[in-house]
Amino acid sequence: MRAKAFWLILVALGLGTKRHWHILVAILLGVILGINLPYPTLAAEPDRFFFIHQFFNIVGQLFIRLITMIVVPLVVSSLIVGVSSLGDSRQLGRMGAKVLTYFLLFMGVSALLGAGLALWLQPGMQLQQNLFSQADTASIIQQLQQSPHQDLQALFFNMIPRNPIESLANADLVPVIIFTLLFGAAVASIGDAGKPVIHFFEALFTATMKLTDWVMIFAVPGVFSLAFTTVAKSGIGVFNELWLYVATVLIGLLFQIIIIFPLALKTLAKINFMNLYRAISEAIMVAFGTASSSATLPITIACMERRAGVSNRIASFVLPTGATINKTATTMFEVIAVLFLLQAYHIPIDAYNVGMIILFSIIASIGAAGVPSAGLITIAIVLNSIGKFQMDYLAGGMALLWSIDRVLDMCRTVVNVMSSCTVAALVASSEGELNRDVLNNHDAWTEVV
Ligand code: ASP
């Protein structure tokens, strides 16, 4: 009886006219199917559902490819349009400083929150040492060693592109953003001579947004397939061992969504957070499905401009930088994950170590790309910073974290996107560029996807 009611609700939601309901239903159905049709374990018989798994794997990957292909032209064109519309370099400096202050503030608060939660709940103490021997240590060490973000000095150097075309081709978004910001400022500073360049990028931006609309036609099957393959691959058994760690991360993420962002929106800009969250609902679901804030960027921009009432000038400046720099969820996650490892291995730490972990988690999350698992890869930077041990020593624990990361990654990507949207709304409000009539009038919203 209950199952019947559940299906009825799902169907009703699925038939609702709004596209974001369709996406939500697609995610739920994907998760349910994934639990019921898991990938075979080694002990199991040959995969009876091979074709189903393969098919949805392909559909999901195609969707990710389609949205990822939009990201580089979108970041470049929106930033150049945004920066050049800011006018002179003083305006740009003022706005840049404001946005960066918000980003750092949010990341600082979430790092402190992560430290508080991990020290209080002690998720690492739950584990038995012998769990680590089961882990696939060698491949983890290899992955970490291949990580381009291992060393802090290289991280900083890599922010400045040696050749912007190379960074564009590799979709290395931090150097692309640095170059584009400077280039946009230079174009704005040459007056009329720069107009054709600006017109070109305006047209590029509009065309890229159009392309986003087309690609989002595939959002429902795409997100369904991604949810299905993720759950079918990782299963849900692993949650048994690590439930306290998972709970710690999820509590921290929820705290940001229901306390920190709403409080900031209310006190600094008198914005009702539910209106903003409703406006960006498609972006939230796509972030969850793709685990990539960069890939979600086109939809984030569309939601913020068309529904949240944020001006194009602010959205096109804050959101691309936010998707690359502002990763509040990742910062908090890195603090929790590192403290978890230290607790699990019974490595004693003092207040100074905790301070370093907080500081380096902020730096590492800024350096983390907006792609799946970036937050876990850049943990190496945080671990190295406290330098108490060899990486190899922690590899077993890292393997455990990898085994469960995809689902947490989906959740933190949602919060990363929400955080950048919150900053964009705050900045727009303080600049008098938030159209509250649009934000508060849901009935007049157009479909974003
Ligand atoms: N996947 C996250 C994002 O794209 C980054 C992370 O791994 O924390 O925002």
Side-chain angles (χ1 to χ4, degrees):
M1 188 61 208
R2 246 198 261 151
K4 227 186 209 164
F6 174 76
W7 286 110
L8 276 178
I9 292 172
L10 268 189
V11 172
L13 287 176
L15 294 178
T17 46
K18 300 276 187 225
R19 187 78 63 90
H20 58 260
W21 287 120
H22 300 179
I23 303 181
L24 183 65
V25 171
I27 292 177
L28 288 177
L29 288 177
V31 169
I32 294 170
L33 195 67
I35 293 172
N36 288 298
L37 295 185
Y39 272 53
T41 53
L42 283 181
E45 58 200 85
D47 189 359
R48 281 176 298 154
F49 304 112
F50 177 79
F51 288 109
I52 300 183
H53 288 146
Q54 278 308 94
F55 176 75
F56 287 119
N57 197 11
I58 291 171
V59 175
Q61 292 311 314
L62 276 180
F63 177 63
I64 291 219
R65 284 246 169 172
L66 281 173
I67 41 178
T68 311
M69 87 183 173
I70 305 172
V71 171
V72 170
L74 184 69
V75 166
V76 172
S77 60
S78 71
L79 269 183
I80 289 184
V81 172
V83 169
S84 54
S85 65
L86 288 179
D88 58 39
S89 52
R90 266 201 18 243
Q91 273 262 37
L92 175 63
R94 187 181 63 80
M95 181 77 103
K98 188 190 274 190
V99 172
L100 202 63
T101 308
Y102 273 128
F103 287 169
L104 289 175
L105 199 72
F106 274 40
M107 286 193 282
V109 169
S110 71
L112 285 173
L113 173 67
L117 281 173
L119 293 174
W120 175 43
L121 297 174
Q122 306 262 332
M125 296 301 185
Q126 177 207 14
L127 283 181
Q128 302 295 320
Q129 282 277 9
N130 62 12
L131 274 179
F132 299 132
S133 56
Q134 302 164 359
D136 183 8
T137 52
S139 77
I140 299 298
I141 294 173
Q142 206 186 9
Q143 289 214 40
L144 286 169
Q145 281 166 351
Q146 279 166 1
S147 154
H149 293 311
Q150 273 231 65
D151 130 36
L152 192 61
Q153 200 180 339
L155 185 80
F156 277 122
F157 275 132
N158 288 341
M159 287 184 176
I160 314 284
R162 204 176 304 145
N163 170 358
I165 307 295
E166 183 192 11
S167 309
L168 280 173
N170 293 332
D172 258 340
L173 286 188
V174 176
V176 164
I177 282 186
I178 303 252
F179 175 78
T180 316
L181 285 175
L182 293 172
F183 182 72
V187 172
S189 75
I190 57 176
D192 280 350
K195 289 265 161 63
V197 179
I198 297 174
H199 288 322
F200 169 79
F201 282 106
E202 276 169 353
L204 182 62
F205 176 70
T206 315
T208 321
M209 291 307 285
K210 184 89 226 154
L211 198 53
T212 307
D213 289 342
W214 290 345
V215 169
M216 286 308 289
I217 293 171
F218 302 105
V220 171
V223 170
F224 168 83
S225 307
L226 290 170
F228 166 65
T229 33
T230 303
V231 175
K233 261 185 209 157
S234 61
I236 44 174
V238 70
F239 284 91
N240 295 340
E241 282 162 18
L242 292 172
W243 71 268
L244 190 53
Y245 163 72
V246 173
T248 310
V249 175
L250 293 184
I251 290 171
L253 295 180
L254 271 179
F255 195 85
Q256 298 197 34
I257 296 177
I258 51 186
I259 310 276
I260 297 180
F261 302 157
L263 208 64
L265 287 164
K266 188 90 218 155
T267 52
L268 300 173
K270 295 199 172 45
I271 294 172
N272 178 344
F273 72 96
M274 277 313 287
N275 286 343
L276 181 69
Y277 290 2
R278 274 176 83 161
I280 59 169
S281 50
E282 279 93 345
I284 289 176
M285 288 171 215
V286 172
F288 187 79
T290 60
S292 166
S293 31
S294 295
T296 312
L297 183 62
I299 299 103
T300 315
I301 293 182
C303 290
M304 288 301 280
E305 280 188 13
R306 294 182 204 167
R307 291 171 157 197
V310 169
S311 71
N312 169 265
R313 200 173 82 108
I314 303 290
S316 58
F317 179 69
V318 179
L319 296 171
T321 31
T324 317
I325 295 173
N326 180 43
K327 305 228 177 45
T328 55
T330 306
T331 316
M332 187 203 72
F333 163 78
E334 299 205 356
V335 174
I336 295 177
V338 169
L339 288 174
F340 165 86
L341 285 175
L342 299 179
Q343 289 165 2
Y345 284 88
H346 302 287
I347 298 171
I349 47 167
D350 53 22
Y352 171 78
N353 294 138
V354 176
M356 291 304 275
I357 291 172
I358 288 178
L359 180 68
F360 277 83
S361 293
I362 294 175
I363 296 172
S365 60
I366 291 176
V371 296
S373 296
L376 193 53
I377 292 171
T378 45
I379 268 186
I381 294 171
V382 188
L383 287 169
N384 285 345
S385 75
I386 40 178
K388 276 203 164 234
F389 34 74
Q390 298 274 313
M391 243 0 256
D392 305 18
Y393 178 43
L394 293 182
M398 284 297 291
L400 266 186
L401 297 190
W402 276 100
S403 69
I404 203 164
D405 194 56
R406 180 66 187 207
V407 176
L408 291 182
D409 193 8
M410 293 156 89
C411 300
R412 55 182 195 261
T413 307
V414 166
V415 179
N416 283 339
V417 168
M418 293 174 90
S419 159
S420 291
C421 291
T422 301
V423 173
L426 293 176
V427 173
S429 162
S430 73
E431 296 285 317
E433 295 190 32
L434 180 71
N435 188 338
R436 289 171 195 269
D437 293 339
V438 175
L439 175 64
N440 299 334
N441 187 6
H442 317 151
D443 300 330
W445 284 348
T446 47
E447 284 285 359
V448 166
V449 293

